[in-house]
Amino acid sequence: MGMKQWKRAGIWTSIMLMVMTAPGATFAAQAGESNAKQNVNSAIKKTHQPFMIKIVDAETGRGIPLVELKTTNNILYYTDSAGVVAFNEPGLMDQSVFFHLSSDGYDIPADMFGNRGQAVQISPGGNITIEMNRVNIAERLYRITGQGIYRDSVMLGLNAPIQEPLINGLVMGQDSVQMIKYNNRLYWFWGDTDRPAYPLGNFRVTGATSKLPQHGGLDPDVGVNLNYFTKDDGFVKSLVPQLPDGAGIAWVFGLMTAKDNTGRERLLAGYSTHNPALSAFGILVFNDNTKEFEQVVQFPSKDDWRHPGGQSTYYEENGLGYWLFTEHRMPNLRVAASYDAIIDYTQYESFTPLTPGTTYNGAQTSLDQDANGKLVWGWKKNTPPLSQSQEKELIDLGLIQGGDPRYYQLKDADTSEDVEIASSSIEWNDYRQRYVMIGQQLKGKTSLLGEIWYAEAPAPQGPWSTAKKIVTHNGYTFYNVAQHKNFSKDGGRIIYFEGTYTNTFTDHVPTSRYNYNQVMYKLDLVNLKLELEPIQGTTGK
């Protein structure tokens, strides 16, 4: 029985082969194949032109970077720095597609089922603009570093405002910005830098320059044209050669300028080396010819508090100039703005209420008091700074009493809850006639290190008392914030700041292209949501 079935199958196979090999049949088969190819080519042509989706701020009409668009089958897209997505998904063209829309600090009304988004009729070469409402007080402007800053804009044939919209210096990601005006340009430095060719990149400082906005640079609303210091292969060069301590990682913070003994202005920076644990602190000076930092001095102890770091700012008090640092989170460390003082660790002062020459010791802490028993805060050498948490503990212990001045007890302007600062950036603001802090919160409600606050004080060291949240990142990190005084507009009414957007210290999936890069924000100080009080007296400038 089985043999007969196989024979019958063989007969039918032979007949089919004869039919298929006949001239007419061959032509028909070729025609069918040709039609199939034409259909495929036609489908490719139909999806060749992308559809533009632009997401804009409902208040300003500006495109919003970093908006996530998600289809019903979980395909993710993120708007570029112009707020656009070039949508070109085979199988989803020429039909209606629903996009879930989400972005930290922005919102869109939910439908009756709780979905926040919009159905879009997709057609090759078409476009749509969708508005989102800004919840943040500060406005997100653009990404400054990394690959594909204006990727989708380029794919759509749109003009990008910066010279290198796709990749610059082969930089994929950069960490912790430092920026200062030097030699009539802006000098930028970053920590670790990722590259396309391998997971490990540059761990010894990356740098670039840009023109000042008033001297040919871009309007800070538009972007920054970075001119990186690069190697022959196009990737950014390491700016810190190997130092005597032999550590593999080097970072710079607390940028300063000062005149050397020849009267020439020099660019200096505090440095730390790691292997990967902390190895050393010291001072570097920038060589304008080699475009690299050189060591001036290594400080004696890596455990000493007397080293520049964090963000720096220059200010004057009683006719003398100082560099102020946020190395210890709050602005409580300074040094005279002279070359000799900067390189001498014994010249660094802390702002503290501790008795000179003592250290914090819990309930046994010795506090500096005047003849009437009132607490004396001041700039003191050889005496470590008091941290925000230490000050709070002394208040709770009753050592700092109700009538004593308090400098770091920031409270939420809306809830009066404590706001603990993880990093900060301080600048004098002409418009407010105050020193302004842009501070990153530690252990915020929406993220461990992603909520950003605004505060004011009459002097650079404080007292800092009231803060207003201006940016939030849900479950994401935005650290080492830097305020850019050289970008301020309208007499300081408009200020700009940036930070490192990263999933570090979270369990969040990295955001494509944006992760581990710098994002710029803008804050208008007349924004009624800030609820700023009228100006009164000030000290220092």
Side-chain angles (χ1 to χ4, degrees):
M1 184 70 178
M3 184 63 69
K4 289 182 179 178
Q5 289 177 341
W6 279 109
K7 284 183 179 179
R8 288 171 184 165
I11 292 170
W12 280 109
T13 300
S14 298
I15 293 171
M16 291 301 297
L17 284 171
M18 290 173 63
V19 173
M20 291 291 291
T21 55
T26 301
F27 179 80
Q30 290 174 343
E33 183 179 351
S34 176
N35 288 336
K37 287 182 178 178
Q38 288 177 2
N39 290 337
V40 171
N41 290 335
S42 177
I44 292 174
K45 288 179 180 178
K46 279 187 176 182
T47 60
H48 184 67
Q49 287 186 303
F51 180 86
M52 183 177 80
I53 305 172
K54 185 168 187 177
I55 312 298
V56 301
D57 186 317
E59 179 182 344
T60 66
R62 182 189 178 103
I64 307 171
L66 194 50
V67 178
E68 180 185 277
L69 288 77
K70 183 172 69 173
T71 64
T72 57
N73 64 339
N74 297 305
I75 304 173
L76 299 181
Y77 302 88
Y78 294 93
T79 56
D80 70 5
S81 284
V84 302
V85 162
F87 185 80
N88 191 9
E89 186 65 36
L92 293 181
M93 308 302 283
D94 289 311
Q95 61 180 292
S96 181
V97 177
F98 185 89
F99 293 95
H100 298 274
L101 300 175
S102 62
S103 185
D104 291 336
Y106 293 83
D107 193 20
I108 191 169
D111 65 16
M112 61 184 296
F113 298 105
N115 295 308
R116 299 180 183 275
Q118 184 169 324
V120 177
Q121 185 62 41
I122 303 295
S123 59
N127 66 85
I128 190 173
T129 298
I130 301 173
E131 292 184 345
M132 292 187 77
N133 301 313
R134 177 154 44 95
V135 179
N136 282 341
I137 297 177
E139 182 181 9
R140 190 182 306 131
L141 294 183
Y142 46 79
R143 180 159 54 94
I144 308 169
T145 62
Q147 180 268 335
I149 295 175
Y150 286 96
R151 168 189 178 271
D152 293 78
S153 297
V154 171
M155 292 175 66
L156 289 159
L158 304 176
N159 292 325
I162 59 176
Q163 293 173 353
E164 301 290 348
L166 298 180
I167 195 164
N168 190 1
L170 296 181
V171 170
M172 297 291 272
Q174 288 187 297
D175 179 32
S176 299
V177 72
Q178 296 280 309
M179 189 260 272
I180 193 170
K181 180 184 175 183
Y182 175 63
N183 284 345
N184 209 32
R185 293 180 70 86
L186 298 178
Y187 277 67
W188 305 71
F189 300 100
W190 299 268
D192 304 338
T193 299
D194 294 337
R195 59 178 172 172
Y198 193 70
L200 299 179
N202 175 25
F203 298 97
R204 301 192 68 83
V205 183
T206 295
T209 65
S210 69
K211 294 180 180 179
L212 289 157
Q214 64 270 32
H215 293 150
L218 294 177
D219 184 321
D221 274 1
V222 174
V224 180
N225 279 324
L226 295 171
N227 182 21
Y228 281 104
F229 304 121
T230 59
K231 300 182 296 183
D232 291 340
D233 63 2
F235 184 51
V236 293
K237 66 182 292 188
S238 297
L239 300 187
V240 179
Q242 197 68 40
L243 299 177
D245 66 273
I249 300 170
W251 298 332
V252 296
F253 293 101
L255 301 179
M256 301 159 278
T257 56
K259 291 182 179 180
D260 62 18
N261 56 12
T262 69
R264 175 186 168 199
E265 187 180 54
R266 305 299 301 274
L267 170 58
L268 299 108
Y271 80 83
S272 64
T273 52
H274 307 258
N275 211 25
L278 176 63
S279 178
F281 288 114
I283 301 295
L284 302 174
V285 64
F286 191 73
N287 186 317
D288 297 328
N289 296 320
T290 64
K291 307 301 186 212
E292 293 180 353
F293 283 101
E294 299 172 346
Q295 186 184 51
V296 181
V297 62
Q298 178 179 317
F299 287 163
S301 173
K302 66 180 181 180
D303 299 317
D304 199 299
W305 57 270
R306 293 170 288 187
H307 56 268
Q311 298 295 330
S312 62
T313 189
Y314 175 82
Y315 83 104
E316 295 180 0
E317 183 179 293
N318 299 324
L320 299 176
Y322 295 92
W323 284 103
L324 178 80
F325 310 99
T326 58
E327 169 69 355
H328 304 292
R329 301 187 181 181
M330 301 298 286
N332 52 17
L333 177 69
R334 76 177 186 180
V335 69
S338 75
Y339 193 99
D340 290 341
I342 289 168
I343 66 176
D344 182 357
Y345 79 101
T346 67
Q347 298 304 304
Y348 287 77
E349 301 175 305
S350 76
F351 189 74
T352 178
L354 298 179
T355 300
T358 67
T359 61
Y360 177 80
N361 191 25
Q364 282 70 51
T365 299
S366 176
L367 295 175
D368 196 2
Q369 296 175 323
D370 65 14
N372 297 317
K374 293 298 182 181
L375 193 63
V376 177
W377 285 78
W379 290 104
K380 304 168 187 178
K381 292 181 180 178
N382 197 33
T383 308
L386 194 69
S387 70
Q388 188 181 24
S389 59
Q390 288 171 343
E391 182 189 33
K392 186 177 190 319
E393 184 174 346
L394 293 178
I395 292 170
D396 293 341
L397 288 169
L399 295 182
I400 295 180
Q401 300 179 5
D404 289 327
R406 305 176 182 196
Y407 272 80
Y408 308 135
Q409 299 312 297
L410 275 173
K411 302 290 184 182
D412 185 334
D414 298 318
T415 67
S416 295
E417 295 177 349
D418 293 339
V419 179
E420 187 175 0
I421 295 298
S423 72
S424 61
S425 178
I426 315 298
E427 294 291 353
W428 170 258
N429 186 272
D430 284 332
Y431 181 77
R432 289 292 300 168
Q433 290 292 293
R434 288 283 190 274
Y435 285 90
V436 165
M437 172 191 289
I438 302 296
Q440 171 203 0
Q441 187 180 13
L442 176 66
K443 300 178 182 178
K445 290 182 178 179
T446 66
S447 67
L448 177 67
L449 291 167
E451 296 182 73
I452 308 302
W453 297 73
Y454 175 95
E456 296 180 346
Q461 66 269 20
W464 303 97
S465 58
T466 304
K468 187 79 172 181
K469 187 192 295 186
I470 55 175
V471 174
T472 189
H473 296 89
N474 296 322
Y476 225 85
T477 295
F478 193 71
Y479 63 46
N480 290 341
V481 288
Q483 189 178 166
H484 296 321
K485 65 179 180 181
N486 293 290
F487 286 169
S488 296
K489 289 182 178 179
D490 297 339
R493 197 200 86 187
I494 308 294
I495 64 175
Y496 299 81
F497 63 92
E498 65 172 286
T500 305
Y501 176 81
T502 176
N503 70 328
T504 306
F505 310 116
T506 78
D507 57 3
H508 201 291
V509 175
T511 304
S512 298
R513 298 183 184 86
Y514 281 90
N515 192 68
Y516 204 61
N517 271 301
Q518 304 301 123
V519 177
M520 185 75 80
Y521 279 85
K522 168 184 176 179
L523 180 64
D524 188 340
L525 299 186
V526 301
N527 191 317
L528 296 179
K529 294 179 182 178
L530 276 174
E531 300 175 330
L532 298 179
E533 295 181 358
I535 303 298
Q536 296 178 3
T538 64
T539 61
K541 181 174 178 180

